[in-house]
Amino acid sequence: MTEDTTTGAGIGTDWDWARADDWQPPTELDTGIPHTARMYDYYLGGKDNFEADRKAAEAAIAAYPALPLLARTNREFLGRAVEFAAGRGIRQFLDIGTGIPAVGSTNEVAQRVAPDARVVYVDNDPIVATHARALLAGHPAGHTSVIEGDLREPEAILDHPGLRAAIDLDRPVALMLVAVLHFIRDEDGAERIVSTLRDALAPGSALILSHGSPDFASRESAAEGTRIYRSASAPLVLRPRAAVEPFFGDFGFAGPGLVQLPLWRPESGHIRTSDLPEGWQDVSAYAGVAFKG
């Protein structure tokens, strides 16, 4: 048993292990295959990407010009949702498929609201892990940690000693599946994966989720985007609203429910799709936050 120096409360964790200061990045990386996280970084205007990522991303933007706007809108949703969950008293955040850390990342927002918030990032890309671990240098030991894991193996994530060292699953957790489930095929057990993670959460926990959808894009753009991602590290599986909502199970939605991405608690207040600025109607994704009773 160690002591949480922020709260003074005893917790059954090993923060030195969770921090993993002696971790070293891999010496060999396959940069010839476009990776979804690095393509997303390119959409956001980041520099942590390679030629293969940029070529694939440019082809995707040519098919669906609203992609950079969608990426920025998704990042803004993440920030609002994390702030909302922290405001509801949640102090533990499990961000799976975190992507390349950028301004407004989960730990930055959560710890601005609650300095004692604990954040665990999970990703299967070594480059993402490298950048996420770099965040630890600027934060108190134990508040932010990162593990390598694959969403398709939820049991391994839940049993990972790094997660167990950082998060108490007997207390509320905000599970974050932001722009990641559309890279999991139905045949890979997408519903089973989310159900396994939901079932592991304590009452009062939240599911923060966004998901690409064909509902707001032209049929041609959706088909071309799906085709382009076939050569990337994961396929793109766009789902209609009726296929996204079941991921929340019996969790109760916070208002405004499952809505088009820009409409989830925008800073400008409640707006309708018809009120969205020019081009924003084409942001083809859903977002929602729901809580476990």
Side-chain angles (χ1 to χ4, degrees):
M1 178 76 72
T2 61
E3 182 174 299
D4 182 339
T5 57
T6 301
T7 64
I11 54 174
T13 61
D14 179 357
W15 291 114
D16 291 336
W17 192 97
R19 190 175 171 83
D21 288 320
D22 58 350
W23 182 87
Q24 295 295 324
T27 57
E28 294 184 6
L29 295 170
D30 186 355
T31 61
I33 298 176
H35 193 282
T36 57
R38 299 194 298 265
M39 290 172 67
Y40 187 80
D41 175 71
Y42 182 80
Y43 300 146
L44 287 172
K47 299 180 180 179
D48 297 303
N49 46 71
F50 298 97
E51 183 178 1
D53 308 312
R54 293 189 285 273
K55 285 184 176 180
E58 285 291 351
I61 292 171
Y64 178 42
L67 260 176
L69 177 60
L70 189 154
R72 294 195 302 272
T73 306
N74 189 70
R75 174 64 61 173
E76 291 165 0
F77 160 72
L78 180 149
R80 296 196 304 273
V82 169
E83 185 173 10
F84 178 69
R88 290 276 294 257
I90 292 181
R91 295 295 180 265
Q92 302 184 114
F93 294 81
L94 174 57
D95 188 342
I96 302 179
T98 178
I100 304 287
V103 174
S105 294
T106 299
N107 71 303
E108 179 182 318
V109 177
Q111 291 162 2
R112 183 175 66 237
V113 177
D116 60 334
R118 298 168 189 161
V119 177
V120 172
Y121 290 120
V122 183
D123 205 285
N124 65 351
D125 180 13
I127 292 180
V128 171
T130 299
H131 284 269
R133 288 179 190 272
L135 289 172
L136 300 178
H139 293 269
H143 285 179
T144 306
S145 57
V146 57
I147 63 176
E148 289 186 53
D150 195 314
L151 178 57
R152 291 167 293 188
E153 300 175 352
E155 294 88 355
I157 292 175
L158 293 169
D159 291 337
H160 195 291
L163 183 142
R164 293 290 181 167
I167 285 183
D168 181 355
L169 291 175
D170 291 328
R171 298 181 180 180
V173 176
L175 168 63
M176 302 180 58
L177 300 175
V178 177
V180 65
L181 277 173
H182 49 232
F183 298 121
I184 304 294
R185 297 173 296 188
D186 291 336
E187 53 265 41
D188 288 333
E191 289 197 24
R192 178 196 65 82
I193 289 168
V194 183
S195 176
T196 298
L197 294 168
R198 286 199 321 262
D199 290 347
L201 302 180
S205 293
L207 172 57
I208 298 173
L209 185 150
S210 64
H211 196 296
S213 173
D215 290 354
F216 308 98
S218 70
R219 181 178 301 178
E220 294 77 13
S221 292
E224 181 64 9
T226 300
R227 184 193 67 77
I228 290 167
Y229 272 86
R230 288 178 189 152
S231 63
S233 59
L236 178 62
V237 184
L238 300 176
R239 293 182 172 95
R241 189 184 195 283
V244 175
E245 188 169 7
F247 288 132
F248 290 90
D250 61 357
F251 281 33
F253 280 108
L258 183 62
V259 295
Q260 188 181 4
L261 186 62
L263 302 181
W264 197 88
R265 294 177 175 260
E267 293 182 357
S268 58
H270 177 71
I271 57 176
R272 299 167 298 179
T273 301
S274 59
D275 297 329
L276 289 173
E278 182 74 23
W280 285 50
Q281 294 92 339
D282 298 327
V283 174
S284 196
Y286 286 103
V289 177
F291 289 84
K292 187 171 186 175

